[in-house]
């Protein structure tokens, strides 16, 4: 059956969409968290809302543990497990402040949560208990990403901490962000060589883990999600990054309402999609790279809100090889 190139998902959340995540190994199911206090599961193929469950406050992130279990966290400081088959929810535990990010770490079969309380916690999903709390060098956790044993944590004081999940007694390295302004998001390369991070100032940096001078020479940053109008440059936050697992290219989404696809290793932009309804708040490629989920949410960037006030919207774009493969 031929897909439309892009599908708008029905029944989106009623407030800012904080996170979109495809189910492992399929592009059929999409998990979506929102400031409207819900976590939703969509069947993208049939364009239906399959499940909806609630936190007591806005939800800032969500993730799949496997195809039927999810984890989510937000402004209620609570880490919540939910089983999509049995509809049983379980409060795994809490942080002392909002839970900003959640991720499943398959290598240690654990759940990582990062919080504004300046810690990352590791949870055992089976035993349903916290197995470690790790101070993040006095910074609130704004974003985290893991690939196998590597964990990268970006904090509010523009620091980046690199950890090894097998030896969490201390971080391996603490770096200053190479971006001058507040970090929005960080994502590890699928090949484990480094990470990409973005800031509120229309800029993205590629960094490498290997400390040797020849590897460190490869790192670079570039401007994006900017627009010139009447000789004035408008600079927008880059809110979202998602890697294509097959080609190792990546998508960025900005408050300019655009999604770009980049070939970071060859320093090229591969394509830009059409302008979306409002700021891009979250992006996620499916495991096989065939689909890209795109969340649009107005995030109070303007001094006066636009009229009419933009409603959150959700799209799934079936990307072509031409859009995502390095040239």
């Amino acid at each position: 059956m031929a897909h439309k190139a892009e599908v708008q998902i029905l029944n989106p959340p009623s407030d800012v969409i904080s996170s979109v995540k495809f189910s492992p190994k399929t592009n059929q199911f999409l998990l979506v968290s929102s400031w409207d206090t819900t976590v939703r599961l969509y069947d993208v193929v049939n364009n239906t809302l399959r499940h909806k469950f609630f936190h007591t406050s806005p939800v800032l992130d969500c993730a799949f543990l496997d195809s039927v279990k999810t984890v989510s966290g937000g402004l209620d400081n609570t880490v919540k497990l939910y089983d999509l088959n049995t509809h049983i929810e379980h409060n795994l535990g809490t942080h002392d402040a909002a839970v900003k990010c959640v991720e499943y770490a398959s290598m240690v079969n654990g759940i990582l949560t990062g919080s504004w309380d300046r810690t990352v916690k590791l949870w055992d999903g089976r035993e349903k208990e916290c197995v470690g709390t790790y101070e993040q060098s006095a910074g609130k956790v704004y974003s985290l990403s893991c690939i196998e044993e590597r964990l990268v944590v970006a904090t509010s004081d523009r620091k980046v901490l690199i950890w090894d999940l097998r030896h969490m007694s201390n971080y391996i390295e603490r770096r200053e962000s190479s971006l001058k302004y507040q970090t929005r998001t960080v994502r590890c390369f699928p090949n484990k060589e480094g990470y990409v991070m973005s800031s509120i100032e229309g800029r993205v940096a590629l960094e490498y883990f290997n400390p040797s001078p020849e590897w460190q020479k490869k790192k670079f940053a570039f401007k994006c999600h900017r627009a010139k109008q009447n000789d004035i440059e408008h600079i927008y936050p880059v809110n979202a990054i998602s890697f294509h697992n097959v080609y190792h290219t990546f998508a960025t989404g900005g408050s300019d309402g655009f999604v770009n696809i980049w070939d970071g290793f060859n320093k090229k932009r591969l394509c830009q999609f059409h302008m979306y309804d409002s700021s891009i708040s979250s992006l996620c490629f499916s495991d096989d790279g065939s689909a890209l989920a795109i969340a649009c949410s107005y995030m109070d960037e303007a001094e006066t809100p636009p009229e009419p006030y933009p409603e959150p919207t959700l799209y799934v774009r079936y990307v072509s090889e031409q859009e995502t493969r390095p040239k």
Side-chain angles (χ1 to χ4, degrees):
M1 188 179 85
H3 285 297
K4 273 188 178 165
E6 191 171 276
V7 177
Q8 184 169 355
I9 303 300
L10 304 174
N11 297 309
S14 59
D15 204 341
V16 171
I17 298 167
S18 53
S19 185
V20 290
K21 300 277 174 72
F22 272 108
S23 176
K25 310 284 180 281
T26 170
N27 62 14
Q28 179 167 5
F29 297 107
L30 185 69
L31 197 65
V32 177
S33 59
S34 167
W35 280 72
D36 71 1
T37 77
T38 68
V39 179
R40 298 162 187 246
L41 180 78
Y42 293 93
D43 176 336
V44 171
V45 174
N46 296 301
N47 203 345
T48 53
L49 174 62
R50 288 284 289 269
H51 287 294
K52 179 164 73 171
F53 62 96
F54 293 86
H55 281 246
T56 55
S57 298
V59 190
L60 301 183
D61 202 6
C62 61
F64 280 97
L65 306 187
D66 57 33
S67 56
V68 294
K69 291 192 191 67
T70 70
V71 59
S72 47
L75 291 182
D76 57 9
N77 306 0
T78 303
V79 182
K80 192 178 282 233
L81 290 178
Y82 189 81
D83 187 308
L84 298 166
N85 276 352
T86 61
H87 300 206
I88 292 170
E89 55 182 75
H90 180 87
N91 287 348
L92 193 53
T94 59
H95 277 269
D96 294 334
V99 180
K100 176 64 175 68
C101 15
V102 300
E103 192 147 329
Y104 174 60
S106 55
M107 181 162 229
V108 292
N109 193 20
I111 297 157
L112 291 162
T113 56
S115 167
W116 293 346
D117 70 6
R118 298 174 159 77
T119 69
V120 165
K121 290 190 178 193
L122 179 63
W123 310 81
D124 182 326
R126 281 205 194 124
E127 300 296 324
K128 299 189 167 51
E129 63 184 7
C130 179
V131 292
T133 300
Y134 310 101
E135 293 285 330
Q136 296 302 309
S137 175
K140 293 179 182 176
V141 177
Y142 278 178
S143 185
L144 62 78
S145 179
C146 72
I147 179 103
E148 294 179 16
E149 79 282 357
R150 285 288 166 129
L151 167 65
V152 179
V153 182
T155 67
S156 55
D157 56 357
R158 293 183 43 258
K159 297 289 185 284
V160 177
L161 286 89
I162 299 164
W163 298 77
D164 182 331
L165 289 171
R166 300 164 303 183
H167 313 289
M168 290 290 285
S169 52
N170 207 345
Y171 52 79
I172 305 170
E173 197 185 341
R174 177 179 141 177
R175 295 180 177 179
E176 183 92 6
S177 165
S178 54
L179 303 173
K180 288 199 295 256
Y181 294 87
Q182 185 192 94
T183 306
R184 267 291 150 94
T185 187
V186 66
R187 283 289 167 263
C188 290
F189 298 171
N191 66 6
K192 258 174 68 174
E193 286 177 358
Y195 55 91
V196 174
M197 59 192 295
S198 68
S199 76
I200 57 169
E201 189 246 350
R203 213 178 272 266
V204 168
L206 273 81
E207 301 272 349
Y208 291 89
F209 292 129
N210 190 323
S212 72
E214 73 251 42
W215 276 89
Q216 287 306 308
K217 266 197 319 220
K218 295 182 181 184
K219 73 176 193 179
F220 69 98
F222 61 93
K223 297 174 184 176
C224 52
H225 298 281
R226 295 168 175 227
K228 261 206 161 133
Q229 277 176 325
N230 311 325
D231 288 341
I232 297 169
E233 188 172 39
H234 294 267
I235 298 172
Y236 297 92
V238 183
N239 304 313
I241 299 171
S242 182
F243 268 98
H244 191 290
N245 283 332
V246 182
Y247 297 137
H248 298 186
T249 50
F250 61 91
T252 59
S255 290
D256 56 350
F258 282 105
V259 175
N260 294 319
I261 311 269
W262 306 91
D263 173 359
F265 302 105
N266 295 309
K267 303 187 180 179
K268 279 184 186 156
R269 184 168 80 176
L270 296 174
C271 70
Q272 181 178 70
F273 302 153
H274 62 85
M275 192 174 182
Y276 285 88
D277 315 287
S278 53
S279 303
I280 308 299
S281 54
S282 184
L283 293 169
C284 183
F285 273 113
S286 58
D287 263 2
D288 66 356
S290 64
L292 177 65
I294 300 166
C296 311
S297 308
Y298 174 65
M299 294 186 287
D300 294 322
E301 292 98 339
E303 283 175 37
T304 51
E307 290 285 334
Y309 194 87
E311 296 294 324
T313 51
L314 193 54
Y315 297 88
V316 169
R317 186 178 180 97
Y318 294 98
V319 289
S320 68
E321 200 166 283
Q322 199 181 350
E323 292 168 330
T324 54
R325 187 179 190 154
K327 299 280 192 285

